[in-house]
Amino acid sequence: MAQVKQDVSPSGSSVAEAEAFLAAHPEIEAIDLVLHDANGVGRGKIIRRHELLGFYKSGRHLPISIMGLDICGEDVHETGLIWDQGDGDLRAWPVPGSLVPLHGTKPARAEVFMCMYDLDGKPMTSDPRHALQRQVDALATEGMYPAGAFELEFFLLANERGPDGKMQPARDVLDGRASAKTEVYSVDHLHGMLPLFSDIYAGAAAAGIKAETMISEYAPGQYELTLHYRTDVMQAADDLMRLKRIVRAQARSHGVTACFMAKPVEQYAGSGMHFHVSMLDKAGHNVFVEAVEGEWSPTILHALGGLRATMAESMLVFAPHGNSWRRFVGQSYAPVSPSWGVNNRSVALRIPAGDIKARRIEHRPAGVDANPYLVAATVLAGIRAGLAHRVDPGPETTGNGYEGAEAGDMPVDWRGAIEAARDSQFLRDALGEDMHRTFVAIKAAEYARVARTVSEVDFDLYLHTV
């Protein structure tokens, strides 16, 4: 058999990792190669077992246009990644440590994450992973190392719509019972989904993810799953992306639909992707911790200041789709202004109660439909800006943060967010020139698609009235 030439992997992956995995998992027959685009959609290929070593030795050629696709998987020419460059191939390489088995697959499969590089080995700068790595590297040069975790909120919905044509909560997979109640924090309500949740936890364990608390959230069929804090923010984003795939696959196997739209049900709260972030120094100490509990350190205050100052122009990253903007209404547990507060869920930036050693900022604007790599990159860039310019966060919001929201604090809709992002030098620096151009162009193309669509709401309101 001809030997496959081994190149030097720019991602740092090694053939030894693949060899050890295949030796440990003789049952694996195929592997999903997953690359995440600007929308966080997993794109790539499924290869057979015998192809894995070749992938680790030489990478895999993929067209550059794969990073310039909209949510429907169609080319967005304005990204400059399609015919401007002849839709030539670049090379994707495996992400070290990301090769894991997939729970419950028959025949048995595995998955591995990829990131994109130019043919000369330089990072392809419209890859969201590289955008996040830029911010992590910049912080490292300043002697700081971000740690964090994302929360995953989602709906479990029936595969069939209700009599009114709208989505409805899934029946319990254990006994088929249905409930249209909110059931917030109900433990007994969780029991009906235990077979599904058990498979989600098993899938997470197989993937090396420490999935933790499961909660029945603030809408019928809505749940929250928390993730273990990571000292590596890239790993935290990987956890979130992998867990979404696990939840979706296991829900499908149990006959229900996992929904990661930000606002699938109009009369209830939407689904967020809160990002908990702290900052460590070279010795591993949390620099957000105050010397005296409750007397906030200048570091955390300046970080809050930077996040507040850059939030409006960054909202497209946190709310990237048309549906995302339906989540932002008063009394909805989604923030409507760039406010900060302590132990307060009506603000955008929350300092949670708890052990002083775990002092962190809970960044609440992002919906679960956002790309966690871009969310983390933008949040870290906002913190860096706040620390560099010693930005004052202003007064703490106490009580009802919705009452203090003022018009003009943030964009009010998707189009406004696109325009703010397009004009933002901060966001251009945060994501990098190419990632910024790609992301904004994709969002503008998606906006145009939605804006020209004639919906059922149009006919309901206007067909017989105008």
Side-chain angles (χ1 to χ4, degrees), residues 287-288 296-310 340 349 351 361 379-394:
V287 299
F288 283 171
W296 310 116
S297 71
T299 306
I300 199 170
L301 289 176
H302 294 325
L304 289 166
L307 292 172
R308 286 200 68 205
T310 58
W340 77 277
L349 304 167
I351 299 178
I361 296 170
V379 168
L380 296 184
I383 291 174
R384 286 183 61 221
L387 296 179
H389 301 292
R390 303 180 66 82
V391 179
D392 184 344

Side-chain angles (χ1 to χ4, degrees), residues 28-152:
I28 296 294
E29 295 187 15
I31 300 94
D32 296 0
L33 309 184
V34 183
L35 177 77
H36 295 105
D37 68 9
N39 276 312
V41 175
R43 304 193 187 276
K45 301 181 178 184
I46 300 177
I47 62 173
R48 306 304 297 171
R49 178 186 179 92
H50 69 271
E51 298 178 90
L52 184 64
L53 291 182
F55 172 51
Y56 271 77
K57 289 176 180 178
S58 300
R60 194 84 173 194
H61 285 96
L62 291 172
I64 191 173
S65 58
I66 200 170
M67 304 309 294
L69 302 176
D70 67 10
I71 194 68
C72 298
E74 296 185 7
D75 291 341
V76 178
H77 300 284
E78 293 80 2
T79 62
L81 300 178
I82 319 298
W83 300 122
D84 290 7
Q85 303 191 40
D87 196 18
D89 278 350
L90 299 183
R91 197 148 41 156
W93 288 89
V95 173
S98 69
L99 178 59
V100 297
L102 293 172
H103 170 71
T105 51
K106 294 180 182 179
R109 298 199 333 274
E111 74 174 4
V112 60
F113 286 178
M114 304 182 287
C115 48
M116 191 77 94
Y117 293 84
D118 294 333
L119 296 180
D120 62 4
K122 294 179 181 177
M124 190 276 185
T125 46
S126 288
D127 185 323
R129 287 184 62 91
H130 293 315
L132 175 53
Q133 191 62 53
R134 283 179 65 250
Q135 292 301 324
V136 171
D137 291 344
L139 280 165
T141 65
E142 298 163 7
M144 289 182 290
Y145 305 88
F150 290 92
E151 296 176 8
L152 180 67

Side-chain angles (χ1 to χ4, degrees), residues 167-452:
M167 305 303 297
Q168 57 183 337
R171 292 177 175 270
D172 290 352
V173 299
L174 186 63
D175 53 21
R177 291 173 55 192
S179 174
K181 300 176 182 178
T182 299
E183 306 280 11
V184 64
Y185 284 96
S186 169
V187 176
D188 290 342
H189 177 64
L190 295 174
H191 291 171
M193 290 291 183
L194 279 182
L196 169 54
F197 295 155
S198 294
D199 276 332
I200 290 172
Y201 281 118
I209 298 172
K210 294 183 179 179
E212 298 184 331
T213 306
M214 182 72 75
I215 301 168
S216 178
E217 264 290 353
Y218 205 71
Q222 187 185 34
Y223 302 88
E224 177 186 287
L225 185 57
T226 61
L227 288 159
H228 189 70
Y229 217 69
R230 295 281 196 178
T231 55
D232 179 351
V233 165
M234 185 71 77
Q235 185 65 62
D238 285 345
D239 285 350
L240 193 286
M241 294 305 294
R242 199 185 297 277
L243 191 59
K244 286 178 74 172
R245 295 196 82 221
I246 291 169
V247 171
R248 184 177 282 118
Q250 298 308 323
R252 181 181 296 171
S253 73
H254 284 274
V256 301
T257 296
C259 175
F260 299 107
M261 292 171 61
K263 183 77 167 180
V265 184
E266 61 194 44
Q267 67 267 39
Y268 291 101
S271 293
M273 189 180 69
H274 303 160
F275 179 35
H276 294 252
V277 60
S278 56
M279 203 67 62
L280 309 180
D281 62 19
K282 292 181 179 179
H285 300 133
N286 183 357
V287 299
F288 283 171
V289 174
E290 63 269 25
V292 178
E293 187 166 1
E295 295 181 7
W296 310 116
S297 71
T299 306
I300 199 170
L301 289 176
H302 294 325
L304 289 166
L307 292 172
R308 286 200 68 205
T310 58
M311 189 174 296
E313 57 198 300
S314 304
M315 282 304 297
L316 186 62
V317 172
F318 309 141
H321 307 290
N323 178 260
S324 308
W325 290 85
R326 304 189 191 284
R327 177 171 159 258
F328 297 105
V329 294
Q331 325 298 326
S332 66
Y333 293 96
V336 295
S337 67
S339 52
W340 77 277
V342 181
N343 195 24
N344 186 337
R345 287 183 170 84
S346 68
V347 299
L349 304 167
R350 172 176 175 251
I351 299 178
D355 188 346
I356 187 174
K357 296 178 183 178
R359 190 64 71 216
R360 64 194 186 276
I361 296 170
E362 180 186 3
H363 186 274
R364 297 175 59 82
V368 75
D369 56 341
N371 183 327
Y373 300 110
L374 299 185
V375 169
T378 306
V379 168
L380 296 184
I383 291 174
R384 286 183 61 221
L387 296 179
H389 301 292
R390 303 180 66 82
V391 179
D392 184 344
E396 172 193 349
T397 295
T398 58
N400 187 347
Y402 295 106
E403 292 180 350
E406 297 181 4
D409 282 347
M410 290 205 286
V412 297
D413 58 21
W414 193 21
R415 179 176 177 177
I418 292 171
E419 292 172 350
R422 180 185 289 119
D423 296 338
S424 172
Q425 185 60 49
F426 163 77
L427 199 60
R428 189 173 286 106
D429 294 338
L431 302 182
E433 187 76 34
D434 292 337
M435 185 73 251
H436 176 268
R437 183 194 66 248
T438 298
F439 183 67
V440 173
I442 288 170
K443 295 296 107 183
E446 291 172 358
Y447 173 83
R449 176 192 289 269
V450 172
R452 66 175 176 259

